[in-house]
């Protein structure tokens, strides 16, 4: 089978490798669609500390069961599967505390290598974070399970108890998914971005938008909230400037969620008075829990919104080099790689 290996920054090789055997309790899945996301692009551009070269990559996928390991009785060969690339251990301190996104082995035991003809889904993932794909859901839609699980976990951490006004900063895939989910929850959500084509896409999906390249964002948000500042801000740009700006834009008692990660050595600062005297709450969602995955699957199954619209391009696996060259040049949103 073919597997795309990242061998150096900006260098992908499509290699021929033997078809793996499914482990006991696990499955071998023929990948039908694998999506690109920001983490894949970052790894492509400059490598990733947890992914030493050469490394398989790609982690948002859906497919069909090719073979099952011994002891699996609840799946059949040929069934369509939607799953994520990780699952918590269920036994560590954090799992016992219900904070499974922080499970001590969830990152170590995640799977990479969805840009391939097939991928092994190990038992811990097959048991906890895998679902039968309904026929009505396309493979491309089902591949949104992982990014949407991150967004559901992030939404839950905001802890919004009533209809709220909020702004999502960032017009990438995660910004759009947040804005769609929060609008669907009944909040007054506005997407703040800089790229005309992304803002057009957002508007065509029914979202309110602010163009940060031409509008005064602070003034626009004050105006949307009776001068108080919005109830919540979700930071999806992953830039220190917006991290530092966001706490100044919410109302007293508001909440800021730092979804977009910064480099490990980054430092940011805020006015402490906003946190203390104004009770501004800061949260920083990481990864997701099985609860979030189940609820993301429910959203996809119920077609809560049209996430397939976020797919800007489709490429066959043997053109993955072109797909990433194009993303690297700043063209495209989410790309579907089809094996
Ligand atoms: Zn654990
Ligand atoms: Zn992802």
């Amino acid at each position: 089978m073919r597997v795309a290996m990242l061998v150096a920054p900006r260098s992908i090789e499509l290699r021929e490798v033997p078809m793996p055997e499914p482990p006991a309790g696990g499955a071998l899945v023929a990948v039908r669609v694998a999506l690109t996301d920001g983490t894949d692009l970052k790894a492509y551009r400059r490598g990733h500390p947890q992914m030493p070269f050469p490394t398989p990559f790609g982690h948002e996928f859906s497919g069909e069961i090719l073979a099952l390991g011994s002891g699996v009785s609840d799946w059949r060969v040929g069934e369509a599967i939607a799953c994520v690339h990780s699952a918590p251990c269920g036994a560590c301190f954090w799992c016992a505390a219900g904070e499974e996104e922080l499970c001590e082995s969830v990152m170590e035991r995640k799977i990479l290598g969805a840009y391939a003809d097939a991928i092994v889904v190990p038992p811990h993932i097959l048991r906890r974070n895998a679902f039968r794909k309904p026929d009505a859901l396309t493979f491309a839609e089902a591949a949104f399970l992982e990014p949407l699980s991150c967004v559901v976990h992030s939404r839950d951490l905001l802890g919004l108890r009533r209809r709220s006004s909020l702004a999502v900063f960032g017009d990438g895939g995660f910004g759009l998914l947040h804005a769609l989910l929060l609008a669907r929850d009944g909040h007054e959500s506005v997407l703040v971005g800089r790229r005309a084509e992304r803002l057009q896409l957002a508007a065509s999906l029914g979202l309110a938008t602010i163009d940060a390249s031409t509008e005064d964002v602070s003034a626009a948000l004050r105006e949307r909230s009776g001068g108080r500042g919005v109830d919540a801000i979700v930071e999806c740009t992953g830039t220190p400037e917006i991290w530092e700006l966001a706490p100044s834009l919410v109302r007293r008692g508001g909440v800021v969620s730092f979804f977009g990660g910064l480099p490990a050595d980054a430092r940011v600062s805020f006015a402490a008075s906003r946190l203390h005297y104004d009770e501004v709450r800061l949260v920083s969602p990481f990864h997701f829990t099985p609860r979030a995955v189940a609820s993301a699957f429910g959203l996809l199954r119920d077609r809560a919104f049209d996430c397939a619209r976020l797919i800007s391009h489709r490429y066959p696996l043997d053109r993955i080099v072109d797909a990433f060259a194009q993303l690297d040049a700043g063209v495209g949103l989410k790309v579907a790689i089809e094996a």
Side-chain angles (χ1 to χ4, degrees):
M1 69 164 201
R2 299 164 302 164
V3 57
M5 299 291 287
L6 201 48
V7 295
R10 295 187 163 84
S11 177
I12 300 172
E13 280 177 15
L14 201 55
R15 292 186 182 167
E16 196 63 40
V17 299
M19 188 66 83
E21 292 286 323
L28 179 66
V29 170
V31 178
R32 292 292 300 274
V33 171
L35 300 174
T36 61
D37 94 342
T39 313
D40 303 317
L41 183 58
K42 254 190 255 174
Y44 171 82
R45 283 177 170 157
R46 49 175 190 261
H48 191 288
Q50 283 165 27
M51 296 163 64
F53 296 128
T55 179
F57 71 137
H59 65 277
E60 300 178 359
F61 68 99
S62 66
E64 281 164 331
I65 306 271
L66 264 185
L68 290 165
S70 59
V72 181
S73 55
D74 49 349
W75 286 90
R76 298 276 169 271
V77 169
E79 278 182 319
I81 178 171
C83 69
V84 294
H85 69 309
S86 76
C89 75
C92 72
F93 170 88
W94 288 272
C95 284
E99 297 166 9
E100 293 142 308
E101 72 277 22
L102 301 175
C103 168
E104 60 189 20
S105 64
V106 73
M107 286 290 111
E108 278 157 37
R109 297 199 303 156
K110 71 178 186 294
I111 51 169
L112 296 172
Y115 305 139
D117 285 311
I119 186 168
V120 167
V121 175
H124 67 293
I125 297 178
L126 193 64
R127 267 197 316 269
R128 285 201 81 181
N129 278 343
F131 300 85
R132 249 166 222 90
K133 181 189 82 62
D135 290 341
L137 208 60
T138 65
F139 283 101
E141 288 166 336
F144 276 89
L145 184 62
E146 194 271 344
L148 194 55
S149 299
C150 296
V151 172
V152 166
H153 174 64
S154 168
R155 183 268 317 264
D156 293 348
L157 219 60
L158 280 173
L160 299 175
R161 287 188 295 269
R162 56 180 172 285
R163 185 178 149 85
S164 303
S165 62
L166 48 90
V168 178
F169 278 69
D171 53 20
F174 277 122
L176 285 156
L177 283 176
H178 271 93
L180 286 167
L181 178 60
L182 291 160
R184 187 246 176 214
D185 285 349
H187 301 298
E188 263 175 62
S189 101
V190 59
L191 184 85
V192 183
R194 303 190 149 267
R195 287 172 281 196
E197 78 281 5
R198 298 287 176 81
L199 295 173
Q200 269 159 25
L201 171 65
S204 77
L205 287 162
L207 297 169
T209 62
I210 294 174
D211 184 346
S213 66
T214 57
E215 293 173 66
D216 178 340
V217 178
S218 309
L221 293 184
R222 271 196 309 275
E223 195 181 315
R224 293 178 68 88
S225 56
R228 282 186 306 273
V230 286
D231 297 316
I233 284 181
V234 183
E235 198 307 307
C236 296
T237 70
T239 55
E241 302 74 47
I242 307 293
W243 273 59
E244 295 194 327
L245 174 69
S248 71
L249 299 177
V250 290
R251 66 165 170 84
R252 299 188 76 207
V255 55
V256 175
S257 171
F258 299 109
F259 182 87
L262 299 181
D265 58 351
R267 294 284 181 277
V268 288
S269 66
F270 320 109
S273 62
R274 286 251 66 201
L275 274 53
H276 183 74
Y277 296 104
D278 292 339
E279 273 195 355
V280 168
R281 210 155 45 84
L282 308 181
V283 297
S284 43
F286 172 72
H287 207 60
F288 45 76
T289 59
R291 225 170 24 253
V293 180
S295 116
F297 178 71
L299 288 163
L300 291 173
R301 186 198 50 215
D302 301 344
R303 309 188 146 275
F305 40 78
D306 191 1
C307 50
R309 295 276 308 281
L310 272 54
I311 295 175
S312 60
H313 298 80
R314 292 171 183 268
Y315 279 92
L317 179 59
D318 57 17
R319 288 193 59 208
I320 188 166
V321 170
D322 301 329
F324 272 87
Q326 181 195 307
L327 284 169
D328 192 26
V331 180
L333 179 51
K334 284 187 93 70
V335 176
I337 308 289
E338 294 166 319

